[in-house]
Amino acid sequence: LSRSISKLTDLHVLGLGDNRLSGTIPAEWAELSSLITLGLDNNALEGSLNMLEFLLKIKRVYLNSNGFNHNITEASWSLMEELQELDLSSNQLVGEIPETLLAMPNLQVLSLGNNKISGHLPPQYLSSSPLRYLTLSSNNIGGSIHTSIGKLVNLVHLDLSSNIISGGFPSQMSSLVNLEYLFLSHNERFNAGGIPQFLEKLTNLRDLSLSLTNRVGQIPGNVLGQLSKLVLLDLGINDLDSEIPSELATLTTLKYLILNRNYDLEGTVPEEVQLLPALDILMVDRTSLSGNMSSICNRQHKAVILGSNCQISEPKMDCECCNICCSRDDNTTCHDSTFFGKLNPIWENSFQRKSYEFDAEIFDYDDSNTKKNGTVNLLGGSAWGENKTLGIGGFDSVDIP
């Protein structure tokens, strides 16, 4: 990265994402006093982030998918009062989550997933926070979810998956009525408990993942049946028992139903659930379910992935169209991870980024979500940078394709 860029003191937008840039961010860039958007995502950059604290007008920072190994607590985040969107995901960042980050008055997007951040979840959340998108997934974060999380009433996306979080699910989460994406999966230190009753209040949910969270007991049809917008329901790798409730058949937008590895789940897959019109993935392998799956096999809309206990073992399901056949107790007969690995990780990070086509009218750029001249492309993407953008733009919730 060239130090001479620092001479462009009137520069508002710098987008160098999706290149092969290496090295560190020059300290001289702290002189870019007019910079509003900085996009250096999907490169091979490393080193410190301290120069960011001198960019007092910065609103959007995208440094995801690099090799930054900075201690995240060392930057003076509180100086960046205008900051609205910060994506530092998929780096090598260490340290604990700075409380000053979550107290920033204008921050709407905070993406810190896939780093080496440790410590505990923040002990307090502010009711005045405008935060809409928060992902801390795939770190080494422990502690419990504080009851004050219910104050983050603007949240649309919350991802705390793949950490070492313990404790329970506070009932105050029922206040998060704008949530569309909730991922708490792969936190096996959560206290054992049922599917939370408060979920029935979160009627805007599209994606819900509670796999490997120590859930026990019955699947509450009266609760989940209220979530009429659900596209993904992932309750796999738990200790759920009893039968699949018929109320799930009311979820007509459901595409992904994952119930596998709940060994005491019994009975049959209700015919009305098999006939859900949008269902693309149904995983019920390594359970005690049995019976016939002919309804899903014969329907016009064919499932992409269908897994059940159709190996020669008991209990056994009759499923001629299943492309994953497992034995209930033998993990060597079923490798569903190889199937999931081919899927777009749409339920991990659902957001939109705006990429701008720069042209001769660049200096007519309007700092709102539009341009006065030129066009704006809305590209659905994920935090792994699968969408090809210029590394600048804004986050918003996105419809799953």
Side-chain angles (χ1 to χ4, degrees), residues 134-336:
L134 175 61
T135 175
L136 306 175
S137 61
S138 300
N139 280 289
N140 296 305
I141 300 169
S144 58
I145 302 175
H146 196 272
T147 56
S148 63
I149 198 171
K151 296 179 180 180
L152 299 179
V153 294
N154 295 306
L155 270 183
V156 173
H157 182 116
L158 177 61
D159 187 352
L160 304 179
S161 60
S162 298
N163 280 290
I164 50 174
I165 299 171
S166 56
F169 300 161
S171 60
Q172 289 81 358
M173 292 181 72
S174 63
S175 299
L176 305 180
V177 294
N178 291 307
L179 266 185
E180 296 181 16
Y181 308 96
L182 176 59
F183 310 104
L184 302 176
S185 58
H186 290 259
N187 282 290
E188 52 189 312
R189 297 189 184 182
F190 272 126
N191 294 345
I195 306 297
Q197 183 76 26
F198 68 75
L199 288 174
E200 65 183 356
K201 304 291 186 182
L202 309 185
T203 54
N204 286 309
L205 275 179
R206 293 172 51 81
D207 292 3
L208 173 62
S209 181
L210 300 178
S211 62
L212 196 59
T213 55
N214 214 6
R215 297 304 90 201
V216 300
Q218 299 182 12
I219 299 174
N222 61 323
V223 173
L224 298 179
Q226 304 298 314
L227 308 181
S228 60
K229 298 179 181 179
L230 271 187
V231 174
L232 165 78
L233 177 59
D234 181 6
L235 303 177
I237 322 177
N238 282 299
D239 290 309
L240 298 171
D241 55 31
S242 195
E243 300 183 353
I244 298 176
S246 59
E247 289 92 336
L248 296 187
T250 64
L251 307 178
T252 55
T253 60
L254 196 66
K255 289 187 176 182
Y256 313 106
L257 178 56
I258 303 172
L259 302 174
N260 63 332
R261 305 193 198 189
N262 284 286
Y263 292 101
D264 293 326
L265 199 59
E266 58 187 13
T268 63
V269 179
E271 182 178 9
E272 54 268 40
V273 172
Q274 295 186 44
L275 293 175
L276 280 168
L279 198 61
D280 280 335
I281 295 178
L282 174 63
M283 302 297 296
V284 291
D285 56 274
R286 276 171 279 187
T287 64
S288 294
L289 291 164
S290 58
N292 193 297
M293 299 281 281
S294 60
S295 293
I296 196 170
C297 291
N298 294 331
R299 66 179 189 158
Q300 186 173 1
H301 179 82
K302 301 299 182 184
V304 176
I305 294 180
L306 186 58
S308 71
N309 300 328
C310 43
Q311 288 282 350
I312 302 175
S313 62
E314 294 295 337
K316 187 176 184 298
M317 304 184 77
D318 183 8
C319 183
E320 294 181 355
C321 63
C322 281
N323 46 20
I324 301 177
C325 279
C326 307
S327 171
R328 178 185 181 277
D329 299 312
D330 185 2
N331 288 340
T332 64
T333 66
C334 186
H335 302 284
D336 52 27

Side-chain angles (χ1 to χ4, degrees), residues 5-16 25-26 28-40 51-63 80 82-84 358 362 365 367 392:
I5 289 179
S6 63
K7 298 178 181 179
L8 305 175
T9 53
D10 291 328
L11 189 66
H12 284 190
V13 177
L14 178 57
L16 297 173
I25 301 177
E28 290 83 355
W29 283 21
E31 299 173 18
L32 296 172
S33 56
S34 299
L35 199 64
I36 293 174
T37 299
L38 175 63
L40 299 174
M51 56 77 58
L52 294 175
E53 64 194 53
F54 297 100
L55 305 178
L56 301 184
K57 293 184 179 181
I58 198 77
K59 292 185 177 182
R60 292 174 285 274
V61 175
Y62 309 117
L63 302 179
M80 303 164 64
E82 300 297 317
L83 191 63
Q84 296 176 2
F358 293 136
I362 183 173
Y365 173 75
D367 188 48
I392 65 172

Side-chain angles (χ1 to χ4, degrees), residues 13-149:
V13 177
L14 178 57
L16 297 173
D18 289 299
N19 284 292
R20 298 181 181 179
L21 301 173
S22 59
T24 61
I25 301 177
E28 290 83 355
W29 283 21
E31 299 173 18
L32 296 172
S33 56
S34 299
L35 199 64
I36 293 174
T37 299
L38 175 63
L40 299 174
D41 49 304
N42 294 290
N43 282 293
L45 300 171
E46 56 187 5
S48 172
L49 303 176
N50 286 350
M51 56 77 58
L52 294 175
E53 64 194 53
F54 297 100
L55 305 178
L56 301 184
K57 293 184 179 181
I58 198 77
K59 292 185 177 182
R60 292 174 285 274
V61 175
Y62 309 117
L63 302 179
N64 51 293
S65 302
N66 278 286
F68 292 107
N69 52 8
H70 181 72
N71 188 317
I72 195 172
T73 61
E74 292 179 8
S76 298
W77 301 104
S78 59
L79 298 177
M80 303 164 64
E81 293 184 352
E82 300 297 317
L83 191 63
Q84 296 176 2
E85 301 175 3
L86 177 63
D87 188 352
L88 301 176
S89 61
S90 299
N91 280 287
Q92 302 292 318
L93 297 173
V94 298
E96 299 186 11
I97 303 168
E99 291 186 30
T100 52
L101 265 181
L102 289 168
M104 297 181 74
N106 295 299
L107 192 66
Q108 298 179 37
V109 173
L110 179 58
S111 182
L112 301 177
N114 196 22
N115 279 289
K116 297 181 179 179
I117 298 171
S118 56
H120 290 78
L121 288 171
Q124 287 288 340
Y125 302 92
L126 302 179
S127 57
S128 58
S129 173
L131 204 61
R132 299 181 68 247
Y133 181 101
L134 175 61
T135 175
L136 306 175
S137 61
S138 300
N139 280 289
N140 296 305
I141 300 169
S144 58
I145 302 175
H146 196 272
T147 56
S148 63
I149 198 171

